[in-house]
Amino acid sequence: ELQLVESGGGLVQPGRSLRLSCTASGFTFADYPMNWFRQAPGKGLEWVSFIRHKAYGGTTEYAASVKGRFTISRDDSKSVAYLQMTSLKIEDTGMYYCAKAVRGRRTVVDLWGQGILVTVSS
Amino acid sequence: EIVMTQSPATLSVSPGARATLSCRASQSINSNLAWYQQKPGQAPRLIIYGASTRATGIPARFSGSGSGTEFTLNISSLQSEDFAVYYCHQYNNWPPRDTFGQGTKLEIK
């Protein structure tokens, strides 16, 4: 069964850091770009970050709202994608989803994790 | 930033009837549009990409159309499992500057 499972969320104070993990199973993780999206409580979806697979250089992209504060990475040997979040702000609060790209479509995604909640509050 | 506007915000339709959801882009996005379905407490699910290509496993009652700035998601013969929130997503630019619409809630009439 194809599956993505996020972990590492929780309650954190403004200005602090948190690292999310996304563990994949059921498909060849190394063959696909990965993305992170988020959804503030009761709000719509926001694309956060993208990482290519190593065959295409493993390059990364970020939304303007998180650029310079968030870092996406991957460990293909463990089938895990990460999102390192620093200098967290209250507006970073939300459900974070990792998602697998449709082959050849970069930020169009066809497999989502169940999501992990990040709450930034003092 | 490309602004995606979905209409209506809420659509009430009877089971078995047809639903038409709209999405408008503030500038041309060619056919770089996807539709996602999200049920309460669940992750989104990809329905359509490339404006009109159904994702794997999506029933034929779902169809997408449009290009440029105007897009439509049609769901014929609504089933109980189709009632959800639908989001459109534009992915026209690289580096990515993806944006989503605010969603249309499809509810049972």
Side-chain angles (χ1 to χ4, degrees):
Chain A
E1 180 189 4
L2 282 69
Q3 194 173 16
L4 296 169
V5 178
E6 300 95 339
S7 59
L11 174 63
V12 62
Q13 293 178 326
R16 303 298 291 265
S17 300
L18 205 59
R19 188 178 80 159
L20 305 182
S21 299
C22 168
T23 302
S25 58
F27 65 98
T28 304
F29 180 77
D31 287 351
Y32 292 89
M34 295 295 294
N35 289 268
W36 287 92
F37 294 81
R38 67 184 180 184
Q39 188 168 32
K43 302 296 185 182
L45 295 163
E46 180 185 11
W47 171 78
V48 173
S49 186
F50 163 88
I51 185 166
R52 279 193 173 91
H53 43 322
K54 289 293 194 288
Y56 286 83
T59 53
T60 58
E61 302 289 347
Y62 300 93
S65 58
V66 307
K67 194 169 186 177
R69 300 187 299 121
F70 289 14
T71 302
I72 190 172
S73 61
R74 62 190 299 158
D75 184 338
D76 291 348
S77 68
K78 297 179 179 178
S79 296
V80 179
Y82 301 99
L83 187 68
Q84 177 70 47
M85 305 184 292
T86 64
S87 302
L88 281 161
K89 305 176 181 180
I90 290 174
E91 53 265 38
D92 293 319
T93 294
M95 189 71 76
Y96 282 71
Y97 298 98
C98 68
K100 163 191 160 296
V102 172
R103 190 179 292 278
R105 295 285 176 161
R106 298 186 290 201
T107 58
V108 179
V109 293
D110 60 356
L111 178 66
W112 297 68
Q114 84 286 357
I116 191 78
L117 184 61
V118 172
T119 304
V120 184
S121 175
S122 55
Chain B
E1 175 182 302
I2 298 175
V3 177
M4 306 300 292
T5 302
Q6 291 186 242
S7 60
T10 303
L11 182 62
S12 300
V13 184
S14 301
R18 180 184 186 88
T20 298
L21 288 67
S22 297
C23 178
R24 173 178 292 177
S26 60
Q27 64 190 76
S28 176
I29 58 170
N30 302 296
S31 295
N32 296 311
L33 185 100
W35 290 93
Y36 294 89
Q37 175 195 72
Q38 188 176 34
K39 297 179 180 179
Q42 295 185 16
R45 178 173 73 141
L46 177 66
I47 304 295
I48 297 282
Y49 63 95
S52 61
T53 302
R54 275 191 304 277
T56 302
I58 299 302
R61 64 180 181 272
F62 289 88
S63 63
S65 62
S67 66
T69 61
E70 300 284 344
F71 300 87
T72 300
L73 174 67
N74 283 294
I75 313 171
S76 63
S77 189
L78 279 163
Q79 306 297 303
S80 57
E81 61 266 29
D82 300 335
F83 293 95
V85 178
Y86 290 82
Y87 292 98
C88 61
H89 163 213
Q90 71 80 15
Y91 53 95
N92 190 60
N93 298 111
W94 197 262
R97 296 293 179 262
D98 295 25
T99 51
F100 287 80
Q102 80 282 12
T104 289
K105 182 180 180 180
L106 179 58
E107 64 177 25
I108 300 174
K109 186 174 182 179

